[in-house]
Amino acid sequence: MLSDGNISDAQGSVLEENNNSGTRGVVYGYDDQKIRIWGSKYAVFGASDGWGLFKDDTEGTARILAWKTNKRGRIFHKKFTVSKSSKEESVLRFPRYYDLSNYLIKVQIKVPDGDNKNMIFQSVGSSIASGIKLFSGIVYVYTTTEILFWKPISYNGHMFFIGDVFGSEHHRQICDTVELHIEVYYLKSKGSRENYKGPQHVHLKGPYMNGAAKVRVWLAKDFPLAVVNMTVGINTLLNFQEIYHGLGSYPDIMSVQIMLSDGNISDAQGSVLESRNSGTRGVVYGYDDLKVRIWGSNIAVFGASDGWGLYTEDTEGTARILAWKTNEQGRIFYKKITISKSSKEESVLRFPRYFDLSNYLIKVQVKVPNGDNRNMIFQSVGSSVATGINLFSGIVYVYTTTEILFWKPVSYNGHMFFIGDVFGSGHHSQICDTVDLHVEVYYLKPKVALEKPGSISKPSFESVWYNIQAQNSSFPYLKIQHDLGEYPVKVDVQIKITLNGTNFIFTGFGSAHRDDDFNERYGGVVYLYNTHEVILTFPLRFNNFAKGGVAFTGLSNDYKGPQNIHLKGPYMNGAAKVRVWLAKDFPSAAVNKTVYINRSNIAVFGASDGWGLLTEDTEGTARIIAWKTNKQGRVFHKSLTVSKSSKEESVLRFPRYYGLSNYLIQVKIKVPNGNNTDMIFQSVGSSVASGLKLFSGIVYVYTTTEIFFWKPISYKGHMFFIGDVFGSEHYSQICDTVDLHVEVYHLESKGTKKEPPLSKPVIKVSTYNVNDSSVDRVQFECYLNISTLNFAYFEVTWRWADSILSFKNESSQFSNLRLTDKHFKTLGVYVTCTVTAFHFKHDTIGSNVTSDKFFAGLMISVRDSPWDRKKCSAHNDPHMTTFDGLMYEHQQPGTYILYEHAVSERHMQVQIELFRCGSTVYCMCGMAVRAGADIFIIHLCSGKPIVQYTSCFDNILVVKRAKRNAKRYEIKFPTGTEIFTEIYGTTMNIYIKASGDDEGQSQGLCGRMSGNVSQNLLIRETSKTCQTSGYYRQKYSIFSNSWKVKNNENLFHWHKDQDVERWKDVYFTPDEIKINDCNDDRNFEIVTGSSSCSTEYTPIVPISYVQTPLPTLTGTEVNWNKTAAQKYCTNKIRDTDAFKECSTIKGVDWNNFYDMCWNDILDTGSTMWTKPTYYSQLNMCAHAPHGNNTSILERLCPDNCSSHGECVEAYCICNDQFLGVDCSVSIYTPPMITNIFGIEHDGRTWCNKANTNCKMSILFGYEIEQAPGITCKITKFLVLSNNTYIHISENVVNATVQSFAEMRCPLIDEKTVNMSGLYVEEFSVSVSYNRHNYSQHMRLNVFDGNCHNINQVSLDNVVELMEDTCFIDNQCYLNEETHPQNINLYCNAPISPFEWTFHDVDNCIIEDRYFSRNDLVFGKECMFCDPDVTSYNWTLSENYCIIDGKCVKRGDKNNADECLLCNTKLNRFGWTKPDKVCTIQVSKPSDAQESSNKLGVILIGSIGSLLVLLIVGFVANSYVKYKRRHLNEKTVSSYDLYDTRRLPRSNT
């Protein structure tokens, strides 16, 4: 840093030593510990003598900067040793082209020895050496592809030199051998460099920090049967695999899944998105018609760690290769284009129709046309991770419902296709810059709701508890009737032993494994069952020892179990219960097989010797049933390893209470090794072991809260044993270590309704008092109606700030689980309550639901403020009154801000629009209200009335409409500020009622509400106010014009794609506000239809303007003076009941209505504003407080209901034949309809049924009245492409009125039209109040944008058919798309775009029935479909004849005449006689003459038959030739598709 503020860079070489005082500058070097800086004794900078700057400096400040890049961005490094005498190449070529703008090239030398050993010095770019003095430095020059060096070779020149005038001889050194280091760094783009090129009109780039994600998951059953299903290992060493699938054709869909070591799956990619990067991990694959190639990264086969949020990677995995053939079924779109880096194709491919993202699968792939991977297909990608520094490839694509957009690599390192570098160890490496891009769209067929494996239902039968007893000869067995009428698929027998008040459950056996021959204890219950009963049998002495009981945990020497549970037995008494499941109680069985089994030694069932049933069986049929539940309903699972010597706890406690009726408990063992490795065996519920013979099995007993185990420990006992008398020694095994598995399944209720879901609780605030204190205390109640719920216990958990508090009690105490000030001390925080419902007291898991957030803070009330009921109003043309009562005039056109809240983060605003409605008069014809991101408009200025939300994202702006006056609206801001508007024809009056929140914060034409009228007229964007005068009709143009709306803030023209800022006032959020408004809303209702604000709202009508003035209000033109006008208004305003009754009510300047009346007459020369003024006065009076004097309301109806109705509470109840607010509208006068919603194009209104619901017409107009009998007449026409009309139907339907400006009529189309050709539908719609007098017709043309082109509409051409589409049965189909109900028919756009074409390549149609290739026809084994011969008749099998309608095999003889046979070579449609004389067995003749006669008859018959056969064959052959020319016909019209019956053909 020089003394003048400029900076000079230090050098790395002494370019010339003491040169007549011209050697100036600073030299530096550095190593891993230090930096050395040498300065010239003449000057630290100089560029004077011999240079053009004429400047030097003798001192400066050296700023030392160093960076660690960790080699990031360094894409090239080379080092080699250079000396004066070495003969190295002075040119170093870069491995690739380096654009000079995007790279930094560094050349340095490292001194290998001496005083500056291992220090690094910069090289230089030019020489200034004279050769007379010592000098040093390697001079280098570079281009985009190479770097060139010049080294010193003269006597005074050296590779490195420091000293002389530099550094006062510190660390002086001369060195002639150095290490030269060359590095190239890529300069990371800051937004200017482009790696990809894509659509020019779509500004889609990113990276985007926020978005939304959705996943779709398919199982194997969702796809057709896989034609390839292989696995192969892949890791960082073995990182290339080539697998041959051998299909001989390309799979339609291919997936390569990498199963990682942790069990997760990573999908392989189709592109190398970035190479030579330490973060380049993953697997790439491609495939063709014979093989699949898989390339893995030599770093990791999966990684999402450095730079990603998962922090995991894996160096090996198993690649699972799956492929499917769809035969193009479901493929409804396909496009192929060739793309290269230099090609100039359109980067947008528009779909021919709207594709709903949920119902379609979009595939984008590239096919490599040449090279090492020729004709292989690779997947494209959905985002770019390329730095541009290293090689990368892949076409990036993004899609919408209507188009797909592409970005292709364009930078030097980017390629259409690349494989190699860290992928695949060099196998089949390739770079390719021209590829074929394939885009396919598959329609996802809706799945039929099949029964899925899932949870287990409660049993079809559950018995009560029966007392049972062992060793009771009078009670040897128990039969429990279930009478279900079919064999159960599962039976559970529970044996209950009660000990110290605890019920212990043992389980029954399927058969007895011992008898009573040993004097050792045993126990258990054996059961068997059939279609109507379950039979239990108990131990009973037969011929030896009475040692058996109903339950037993085993002898102490044989079994070891829990030490603290004295449960042993055998118990002689207990209780039994059975549960029975049928097939319908389980999901569909995954396995259901039967196999025969019989005894190999004793019996397959027995309960005789030592048991009470005295029966056995030596053979049976084993039925094997298995189910997959996918863990549905499994609420508990535990596994542990158990051995004879292990010391585990013999008690396993459940995490909750499990009611015995609602759960199924399973205990199983898994054998870890040996003959039965990994096989699972059921455990048992009692011991029958004598200890004298080999035995096995873990005995278990359970309660509602825990499960207990007893394991074998004696010499003869084992964890698992199979053999001896079982299985004839097949797979015999003894095993003393097993895995024990315990599972608990919850049984779904069946036959009874499930518990109703918990509704969301509501937090209610109340107060209570303690000891008559002067201060009321606050408490919060979590209110929920629990009267219909079947739960015994409830828990309420309160959360606020960082605090959590829970209360639990019986349901009867639910309302007392409150949050009081004993626990809750802080206002100004959000509070929530969570209700959890339990069936049992000990349950820990139950149904739960949480309330909305409740702001426990100050309650804001519209009556809390002294400013309450202050009103701003805009009347008539318009006359303005501010909140503080200042009256002024605002007669000028445009759009203005009537009201705005000063806190801009709320975006609370009311705009009005004024339009000329007379020669000098401007009407308020539009009002727009915004709160946050909600915008609601009423717009009457355009000739097409609009009443709707145009934006609806915050859902905080509440719009209501008067129930008995559709032209009166109430709109409420979250702060409590309210807007009222009343519609009169095409104009309106507006009132805004302030809330306390508006004090000092309101602005706009309504003024700043300050209590001082002199401060009301605040000029926008200033702190200045307009000075007011005492004259109430004064105009303040500067003030008014300052509140004129700018174009970008006009709420009436808010484009649907324009961003709407949401409510952002963090100090006042809408869900904090609770409005205590005492107004009775019984006269208003929330608006519905398009006027409503919901998550499904759709802004539908754009605003356009007419150039003519709006229709004027009705009135009489007059030329009165002030006296005459005041006299008229006295009669119309002051002498009315409304004025007389309400003029004494404070808060309203009632004389203002009178003053507006006569002033408007003088201004306009007309009485046009008198009626709106009178109606405003009526409305104001009707809603004023009248105390107990409500009779006045019966006299406040407009025009006394025009004598056509009755006045009830200020509303008119009209007679049957009249409508309207004042009953002035006759039902014989239809409403005025101005337009119908649709796309305006070339003088027609269109509705595109491809993306719009065209079954409902939306009509707009003025003064549409709510009438019970309002109807629409719908006349339907077909409009042919040549503008010819065909009348189809006419219907009258009920209409729905949405607002005074909008109504809807369903377009009923009951008549089916079967018409071939191109046409659109036209509906003519008119409206009536009485079904007789109809409005003018509105016409709506319905077309299908998937195939109809309406852009070339003319008088003679209404619609055109798009290329590659069909229009059949009033539906659009893509070329080759199949019939929705008949896969044998398809759209053949080039040949027959208006009729279905028969798929005759692989199908036949015979006698109105369809058959596929090789299908048997009509069940006959000799007749089949062979489209290669004919698609319109059956083909006769090669080895058959068909005779008299029956199939006869070649060589078979006639049963009635053995001389006749089927000879397929001579006659396939009749019997053939052999050429040789046929001999048959006959009776012996009486003499030779008789024999001779018979032989002659036979010979004559044979000759005659041959002549007949020749004649028939000639006729048949001629007929076949005549018909042959029809056999190649491919397209069949609807009238000749099935009427041709041809002769059967052979396939030869």
Side-chain angles (χ1 to χ4, degrees), residues 517-544:
D517 291 352
F518 298 102
N519 190 17
E520 298 290 348
R521 291 169 289 171
Y522 66 97
V525 173
V526 173
Y527 68 93
L528 66 164
Y529 51 89
N530 51 47
T531 59
H532 58 279
E533 64 187 3
V534 178
I535 305 170
L536 312 183
T537 185
F538 321 113
L540 178 64
R541 178 179 178 274
F542 177 66
N543 56 7
N544 284 298

Side-chain angles (χ1 to χ4, degrees), residues 493 636 695 788 1130:
V493 176
F636 177 76
F695 69 94
T788 60
T1130 297

Side-chain angles (χ1 to χ4, degrees), residues 80-123:
F80 51 95
T81 301
V82 180
S83 68
K84 288 178 67 171
S85 60
S86 60
K87 297 181 180 181
E88 67 284 321
E89 178 66 43
S90 294
V91 178
L92 179 64
R93 289 169 182 82
F94 296 140
R96 64 171 72 110
Y97 174 92
Y98 292 139
D99 177 11
L100 300 182
S101 298
N102 297 319
Y103 296 88
L104 173 65
I105 296 175
K106 288 176 60 187
V107 180
Q108 299 171 309
I109 60 172
K110 187 176 183 179
V111 180
D113 50 37
D115 219 18
N116 297 285
K117 182 179 180 179
N118 290 334
M119 295 202 77
I120 292 175
F121 297 82
Q122 303 293 326
S123 285

Side-chain angles (χ1 to χ4, degrees), residues 1128-1181:
Y1128 176 81
C1129 290
T1130 297
N1131 179 51
K1132 294 294 184 181
I1133 303 296
R1134 281 186 166 177
D1135 291 345
T1136 62
D1137 289 334
F1139 188 88
K1140 292 175 182 179
E1141 172 64 25
C1142 294
S1143 58
T1144 58
I1145 298 176
K1146 295 181 179 180
V1148 177
D1149 185 357
W1150 298 97
N1151 275 315
N1152 186 37
F1153 294 106
Y1154 165 73
D1155 291 335
M1156 284 191 297
C1157 175
W1158 64 263
N1159 275 292
D1160 282 335
I1161 292 174
L1162 295 181
D1163 288 342
T1164 63
S1166 169
T1167 61
M1168 58 184 292
W1169 291 111
T1170 303
K1171 179 177 278 193
T1173 303
Y1174 166 61
Y1175 281 3
S1176 295
Q1177 178 184 252
L1178 280 178
N1179 279 324
M1180 188 72 73
C1181 184

